[in-house]
Amino acid sequence: MNRPSDHSITALRARHGPRYRWLLLLSVMMGTMASVMSSTIVNVAIPDMSHYFALGQERAQWATSGFMAAMTVSMLTTPWLLARYGYRRTYTGCMWLLMAGGIAGGFAQHFPLVLAARVAEGLAAGVVQPIPAIIILRAFEPQEQGRASGIFGMGVVLAPALGPSIGGLLVDAFGWRSIFFMVVPFCLASLWMARRFVPTTAPGGAAANPQGAALDWRGLLLASGGSLCLLNGLVELKGGTPLTAGGLLLAATLALVGFVALQRRMLLARRRHPDQGVDPLMNLSLFRDRRFAMGSIVAFIYGIALFGSTYLLPVYMQLGLGLSPSFVGTILLPAGLVLAVTIAWVGRLSDRQPTHRLVSLGLLLLATSFALMPTIALTDRALTVTMLVAWATLGRIGLGFILPSLNTGAMRGLDRAQIPQGASVINFLRMLGGAAGVSLCGIVLEWRVAAHGLTLAPGNTAPGHLAPFNETFLLLAAICALALLAAWRVRETR
């Protein structure tokens, strides 16, 4: 008989029966909702935050891109942390860090402290993000994985769907600081559920091994340095000198080359001496599977479009259309609810339909929604809002086709032992694209504003003042169309 204190995955499964896998998924869903909410809700407060700290738009967006950079890099540590400390200690540690970052950001009096809090939140969110995909692919049978992904995705997207609405009301009523505290109740709920349902074991049911292989610090430093150089280089393209921007982008390229060379050398050394050395941070042999390789390309480009638009839409509605933060949240709410329903339906559909068809259709709908944004005009307020809701909803339907299909479909060709690494890598590439996308949208927007001789300010109705936003949306449409080429190759070979 299992002791009540036994929290291995075998004991918990025996204690709770067949429903346990759903209770485990619900537990990690709460934490992921908190991390997703913290990644997107700050966008509603960027105009107020930039005014409070007297920051330019390209600097204020570091509250978002700093979070994204930290989240991107920390994702690569998830397999190592799970193997060394197990699901529960890794997960609860991240929840405490996420909650501490939210509280510190809410009370911060200086922007560097806000940025530090956002980085702390990003580090926690990055480790948590790959865990649900690992659980779905290991705890659920193949014929249930789509359904589980759909239910999980529906729950997770409710956070960013409801977040901007609640966040907009909070910003109007209490100021931008209030949005940092929204993660606290989610973190508390996830910590309570983790003590009941998250196992102490590592993926596969093995015991956590604190004396296991050491972390690949050299690879982590190269990945961190390369990501920071890339993001700063993109910012410097507009706000700095060409020499500084070129130097940073060159450093990012060299860090990437060094990272790939290091990971390849470590992988070869590990094969020759399995019991010695350090596990590589990124297993490059994963990319030998064509579905995984193509899915990774789609994930990167999709991250650019998704997170770039998540940053751009609230700024467009507030500074371009002159809408209040609370009204912005209200407009985005129907699209978010439609996204949740679409994900649940497509999750079940993905158990029967090929991944490449669902992902390609989703990218096509997403690209179409971006391409239609320039049709919005300010001649009639009711018509403007109607078109805005319609195009935003169309884009969220596209996301609903992509989200539950891409991860599981791209990783179905991997061995079970490779799933933690696969989930970590594909999430890393998506978030790297997202971090670049946030910076890219901010840079292109500033560039086009300067090119048109305009200024970004609420209530600005100068002729052609929407042109910079429209041109940035068209760029996102082109990026989504480019991803279609790789998406069609995420298909099983006969």
Side-chain angles (χ1 to χ4, degrees):
M1 180 179 295
N2 296 311
R3 302 187 308 273
S5 59
D6 187 352
H7 292 284
S8 68
I9 194 166
T10 302
L12 289 171
R13 188 181 291 120
R15 190 177 305 152
H16 297 287
R19 64 176 182 154
Y20 172 66
R21 63 191 188 279
W22 295 104
L23 294 171
L24 175 58
L25 185 63
L26 178 62
S27 300
V28 297
M29 182 190 299
M30 293 297 297
T32 310
M33 287 174 69
S35 67
V36 171
M37 177 178 289
S38 65
S39 70
T40 59
I41 193 171
V42 75
N43 295 327
V44 177
I46 280 180
D48 282 10
M49 193 184 302
S50 61
H51 177 73
Y52 181 88
F53 290 111
L55 301 169
Q57 192 69 26
E58 74 282 356
R59 294 300 173 187
Q61 59 133 8
W62 263 100
T64 297
S65 55
F67 179 100
M68 299 291 294
M71 179 166 61
T72 298
V73 173
S74 65
M75 279 182 180
L76 293 175
T77 67
T78 300
W80 179 81
L81 288 168
L82 291 178
R84 197 173 180 92
Y85 301 108
Y87 280 114
R88 180 180 295 184
R89 290 179 66 187
T90 301
Y91 181 76
T92 55
C94 290
M95 289 299 99
W96 283 112
L97 181 59
L98 183 65
M99 185 165 61
I103 294 172
F107 286 115
Q109 297 296 321
H110 305 283
F111 185 70
L113 295 179
V114 172
L115 186 56
R118 292 290 292 163
V119 169
E121 288 183 303
L123 291 173
V127 175
V128 168
Q129 291 281 336
I131 293 178
I134 297 171
I135 289 173
I136 289 171
L137 287 166
R138 295 195 70 107
F140 291 84
E141 296 298 323
Q143 64 272 16
E144 285 187 318
Q145 289 172 2
R147 180 187 174 200
S149 295
I151 293 175
F152 171 76
M154 180 180 68
V156 168
V157 301
L158 285 176
L162 297 175
S165 300
I166 301 172
L169 294 173
L170 289 174
V171 169
D172 280 348
F174 304 106
W176 60 267
R177 296 179 182 279
S178 59
I179 57 99
F180 279 90
F181 297 114
M182 282 193 64
V183 300
V184 173
F186 287 90
C187 289
L188 291 174
S190 66
L191 286 167
W192 179 80
M193 296 191 72
R195 289 186 60 84
R196 293 175 59 87
F197 303 119
V198 175
T200 55
T201 49
N209 182 15
Q211 281 73 46
L215 180 64
D216 176 15
W217 286 105
R218 290 182 298 171
L220 187 61
L221 288 173
L222 282 171
S224 302
S227 298
L228 290 173
C229 287
L230 172 64
L231 295 176
N232 275 296
L234 290 173
V235 171
E236 290 293 329
L237 280 174
K238 177 56 188 165
T241 64
L243 181 62
T244 303
L248 287 169
L249 293 177
L250 177 60
T253 303
L254 293 175
L256 172 63
V257 173
F259 177 79
V260 171
L262 175 65
Q263 300 306 294
R264 188 170 182 271
R265 186 168 66 249
M266 292 177 65
L267 181 62
L268 293 174
R270 196 66 167 162
R271 285 176 178 172
R272 287 195 295 266
H273 306 286
D275 298 326
Q276 301 176 15
V278 178
D279 288 329
L281 203 62
M282 181 183 292
N283 187 347
L284 298 180
S285 65
L286 297 172
F287 295 98
R288 293 176 181 172
D289 184 272
R290 180 177 55 80
R291 279 185 291 172
F292 183 81
M294 292 298 105
S296 297
I297 294 173
V298 174
F300 179 78
I301 299 175
Y302 161 74
I304 294 175
L306 170 62
F307 290 97
S309 65
T310 302
Y311 162 76
L312 183 62
L313 271 171
V315 177
Y316 166 68
M317 286 187 272
Q318 292 180 66
L319 299 184
L321 302 182
L323 305 177
S324 67
S326 58
F327 196 45
V328 167
T330 303
I331 290 176
L332 293 177
L333 180 59
L337 297 177
V338 169
L339 172 59
V341 174
T342 304
I343 284 180
W345 175 65
V346 174
R348 292 177 177 270
L349 192 64
S350 65
D351 288 327
R352 303 186 301 272
Q353 293 294 324
T355 299
H356 69 282
R357 291 182 185 172
L358 297 176
V359 173
S360 297
L361 178 58
L363 286 169
L364 181 62
L365 293 174
L366 189 58
T368 302
S369 73
F370 291 143
L372 289 172
M373 292 299 289
T375 64
I376 296 176
L378 295 176
T379 54
D380 182 271
R381 181 65 174 266
L383 180 60
T384 296
V385 172
T386 300
M387 294 176 70
L388 187 58
V389 171
W391 303 155
T393 301
L394 180 64
R396 286 334 187 231
I397 292 173
L399 291 177
F401 274 85
I402 300 170
L403 289 174
S405 312
L406 182 58
N407 275 11
T408 54
M411 289 192 289
R412 277 178 179 160
L414 302 181
D415 295 331
R416 289 180 65 85
Q418 294 177 316
I419 287 173
Q421 270 274 356
S424 175
V425 169
I426 205 165
N427 277 278
F428 166 76
L429 291 172
R430 186 180 73 244
M431 292 303 165
L432 181 63
V438 171
S439 295
L440 181 65
C441 282
I443 293 161
V444 171
L445 181 60
E446 289 284 331
W447 168 44
R448 299 315 300 161
V449 165
H452 287 280
L454 301 170
T455 57
L456 287 179
N460 181 12
T461 58
H465 77 284
L466 293 181
F469 294 100
N470 294 338
E471 291 163 2
T472 310
F473 279 121
L474 290 175
L475 172 66
L476 292 176
I479 290 172
C480 289
L482 182 64
L484 278 167
L485 299 176
W488 196 252
R489 294 182 60 80
V490 186
R491 63 179 186 272
E492 297 183 22
T493 55
R494 299 294 181 183

